[in-house]
Amino acid sequence: MRLNKLSSLVFLVLLSSMCGLGFAQEGPDINIEGGKIQGVATDIPGVRVFKGIPYAADTAGENRFRGPQPVEPWTGVRVADTWGDRAMQWANSNPVGSFYGNEFYYDDVFMPPISEQGLNLNVFTPANGPDEKLPVYMWIHGGANAHGGASEIEFWAPKLADKGIVIVSVQYRLGVFGNLSLPEIEAESPNGIAGNQRLQDLIAALHWIKNNISGFGGDPASVTIGGQSAGATNTLTLLRSPLAKGLFQRAMISSTRPGILGAVARDAHEVQSQNARALEDIFGKPMSLADMREIPAEEFVTRAVGENNQLLFYALRSALGGPVIDDVSLTEESVDLTRPGAFDGIDILIGSTADERTPGGNPDEIMGTQEYAAFMSQHYGPEWEQAYPAADARQAFRLSLRASADLYHQAALVSAEIIINQNEGANAYVYYFDNPPPGRDAEFYGSFHSSELWYFMNSLRDWPGQRPWTELDYRMAETMSTYLANFVKTGNPNGQGLPDWQPAKTGTEFIRFNEGYAQPLNSTPYPERDRLNRRVILETYDLESD
């Protein structure tokens, strides 16, 4: 059942009263781009949140598909007690009743409206004044670059901020609004950027941090970027962009299978030709930039097109090319993160979950013996039989999902090995999250894709709608968030009282988060699978075994 705003607000007010906090205005006014702003208290004493701060202008009308424009100023003091609008997306992509709807999208308090005013961010800070110069963590949400927002309940970060860092959770344009490349867009760009609106948004957010974060007690010279799933992909795109160079010093990359491997962008003019054809196919006529700007925003997420009656938003997402090489925001050289020197001076924390693929299935699903054998042989060759023997059709289906997740882990280890051994002054630390959250068919879903977010963000609470967290979960969250805060501060996750986390210099070292503890290891419980998946990653990306 979805929690409505009234019931959730009543609960939060009761919680704040019990804690002696009150979600009231707190702290001095801060001068930032656009005007003065004031934060509010959180459920952690001494940590304030500033919600919905615009870092760029509205992206509607003539600003649609343009690079981010300057913030529109306001008068008086803006009390930042309300989440900013989410970027344009379909509101029902994860309805209550679906797996992720029940997990993250059930509480209206954390689900603000959707509009083209989505270029905003939130700041969580424990600082008492501008002179503290605390390290900064810019968090980039996931959602397949098609949905999601920075206000999601699992990103509620006061406990993480309380460890001595300033957290900036950012939003960016989604779907076609964030990746349309056309010759007209390139021509009107003052820098010749041929699209890549999403990348431009995130670079603008980094510039906002550089110019404004000191007022929140943050240090603009000590910035870590990080993201999960599509947010990790976007983090990697920032690492690939010459325009982002020098704006951050560290990066966290969660749950993206290629890691730093593989190509992610194509020539801008090639993509522009593809896009022009795709637009004509979808709309039944050639579409100019002006035509695309005239479409009401709501029509993208309500109009059905094509034989399958697909929403226009998703039809465009499927048909249009992604990031483009325009020799400005991305270059042929910069997109290759395996080149020597790509990570000079940049430390990386990278990892995945043990059950990345389970949300795509259900506990009763099965896979027949022949289908399973064909699937595994296609991906692994005959060696799969020793690594992934299945006793029955039920186990066969589950192992097919686990095999895909195992590839994520090995891609992270290979990526870390390359980063350490081909760059100067760079370390890379790998995690493997194998700590299933309790309840909701945990025996099947396990450590599902995105499950680690509750723990790294330390957002577990005894609130309506959340899982029945146990002492094990709170201990795990405290450990993981401490490692993360240490990494944000120094580029090294280690600290007093924590098990030693070694850089993955040989492509085997990692920390396993399991049963509430951090375990330094060189192998998962299935070493034969580790060897097999490492081989597949090396062969897929044409890398040498040594």
Side-chain angles (χ1 to χ4, degrees):
M1 181 179 73
R2 180 180 293 281
L3 299 177
N4 63 38
K5 292 184 179 180
L6 179 59
S7 62
S8 296
L9 282 170
V10 168
F11 171 75
L12 289 176
V13 169
L14 288 173
L15 175 69
S16 66
S17 298
M18 288 186 290
C19 296
L21 297 175
F23 289 87
Q25 297 170 220
E26 186 174 272
D29 302 344
I30 297 174
N31 284 306
I32 61 172
E33 292 176 11
K36 291 184 178 181
I37 198 163
Q38 188 173 65
V40 295
T42 68
D43 60 334
I44 301 301
V47 178
R48 291 175 294 159
V49 62
F50 297 76
K51 300 178 180 179
I53 303 173
Y55 69 87
D58 188 334
T59 59
E62 290 300 305
N63 285 345
R64 186 185 290 173
F65 307 121
R66 280 184 174 160
Q69 301 299 302
V71 170
E72 298 169 2
W74 59 88
T75 58
V77 178
R78 181 173 182 149
V79 179
D81 60 354
T82 304
W83 300 118
D85 287 0
R86 287 174 287 167
M88 279 306 303
Q89 58 192 278
W90 186 40
N92 295 316
S93 57
N94 288 289
V96 172
S98 69
F99 181 82
Y100 282 117
N102 291 344
E103 188 69 25
F104 300 134
Y105 304 109
Y106 56 87
D107 192 336
D108 284 342
V109 165
F110 295 89
M111 303 281 286
I114 293 168
S115 75
E116 288 188 272
Q117 298 184 55
L119 297 189
N120 58 74
L121 52 82
N122 313 301
V123 177
F124 295 85
T125 179
N128 293 315
D131 299 328
E132 295 197 27
K133 293 189 175 181
L134 300 178
V136 179
Y137 185 36
M138 185 177 101
W139 173 250
I140 306 168
H141 71 82
N145 282 329
H147 68 268
S151 63
E152 293 177 19
I153 193 169
E154 72 275 21
F155 306 148
W156 181 245
K159 283 188 178 181
L160 179 58
D162 196 39
K163 295 182 181 295
I165 62 175
V166 176
I167 298 163
V168 182
S169 53
V170 304
Q171 298 189 156
Y172 51 88
R173 280 173 281 186
L174 302 169
V176 62
F177 300 97
N179 74 335
L180 181 62
S181 182
L182 294 172
E184 293 170 278
I185 293 174
E186 183 176 4
E188 75 172 17
S189 167
N191 301 315
I193 298 177
N196 291 345
Q197 293 89 355
R198 181 161 40 248
L199 171 59
Q200 293 187 71
D201 293 344
L202 293 171
I203 292 172
L206 281 168
H207 279 287
W208 186 94
I209 290 172
K210 180 179 179 180
N211 297 330
N212 297 277
I213 205 63
S214 59
F216 300 85
D219 182 358
S222 181
V223 177
T224 300
I225 59 173
Q228 183 266 348
S229 192
T233 300
N234 297 333
T235 298
L236 288 164
T237 306
L238 285 170
L239 283 159
R240 291 179 161 102
S241 177
L243 299 183
K245 189 174 179 63
L247 295 174
F248 59 89
Q249 291 70 45
R250 295 168 287 280
M252 181 181 180
I253 302 162
S254 298
S255 292
T256 176
R257 188 169 100 182
I260 69 167
L261 311 172
V264 295
R266 293 160 50 205
D267 176 74
H269 297 142
E270 176 187 336
V271 172
Q272 288 169 4
S273 297
Q274 171 193 327
N275 289 349
R277 293 191 298 270
L279 292 175
E280 185 169 357
D281 288 343
I282 290 170
F283 289 98
K285 63 176 183 177
M287 294 290 288
S288 67
L289 178 58
D291 293 332
M292 293 296 291
R293 284 174 171 158
E294 287 176 2
I295 300 172
E298 294 74 16
E299 187 171 324
F300 286 93
V301 293
T302 56
R303 176 181 172 184
V305 298
E307 296 179 357
N308 298 323
N309 286 323
Q310 189 177 25
L311 282 180
L312 178 59
F313 182 82
Y314 289 107
L316 290 167
R317 178 174 175 268
S318 299
L320 300 177
V324 297
I325 295 172
D326 56 13
D327 295 326
V328 182
S329 59
L330 294 172
T331 72
E332 192 75 42
E333 179 186 39
S334 73
V335 297
D336 179 13
L337 292 179
T338 64
R339 74 188 189 281
F343 286 88
D344 282 354
I346 298 176
D347 295 314
I348 300 295
L349 195 155
I350 185 171
S352 61
T353 72
D355 300 289
E356 294 279 0
R357 293 302 194 184
T358 51
N362 67 72
D364 299 320
E365 203 159 346
I366 61 174
M367 180 179 279
T369 303
Q370 291 185 338
E371 183 184 1
Y372 179 60
F375 174 84
M376 297 299 281
S377 296
Q378 179 183 357
H379 288 82
Y380 293 109
E383 293 180 58
W384 72 268
E385 294 187 60
Q386 288 187 340
Y388 294 96
D392 52 41
R394 183 171 178 267
Q395 187 184 26
F397 175 70
R398 296 182 179 206
L399 285 175
S400 72
L401 299 178
R402 173 56 71 94
S404 180
D406 291 344
L407 284 167
Y408 277 70
H409 179 53
Q410 289 303 316
L413 284 167
V414 171
S415 295
E417 183 181 4
I418 291 171
I419 291 167
I420 293 171
N421 291 290
Q422 293 191 182
N423 297 276
E424 297 291 333
N427 271 321
Y429 302 86
V430 176
Y431 73 85
Y432 180 66
F433 182 76
D434 190 12
N435 192 90
R440 301 180 190 168
D441 291 309
E443 185 272 335
F444 169 73
Y445 289 106
S447 299
F448 58 87
H449 184 71
S450 305
S451 58
E452 78 275 34
L453 295 171
W454 291 114
Y455 300 83
F456 273 126
M457 288 292 184
N458 211 340
S459 52
L460 285 67
R461 298 291 194 277
D462 185 19
W463 290 354
Q466 290 201 23
R467 288 173 179 262
W469 307 115
T470 67
E471 181 181 347
L472 178 155
D473 297 297
Y474 288 110
R475 183 175 66 236
M476 191 79 272
E478 184 63 22
T479 298
M480 290 173 61
S481 61
T482 300
Y483 273 127
L484 175 56
N486 290 344
F487 179 77
V488 171
K489 292 172 184 177
T490 68
N492 185 331
N494 291 294
Q496 186 176 4
L498 295 171
D500 188 37
W501 189 343
Q502 288 291 311
K505 188 172 183 179
T506 67
T508 61
E509 303 91 339
F510 65 95
I511 282 279
R512 181 190 186 202
F513 296 123
N514 177 251
E515 296 185 353
Y517 292 101
Q519 306 163 351
L521 297 172
N522 291 85
S523 172
T524 71
Y526 305 97
E528 185 64 32
R529 297 178 187 176
D530 295 342
R531 288 190 290 270
L532 180 58
N533 283 288
R534 178 178 171 86
R535 190 209 74 196
V536 170
I537 292 295
L538 294 174
E539 290 178 353
T540 299
Y541 295 101
D542 196 24
L543 300 168
E544 297 180 4
S545 59
D546 295 322

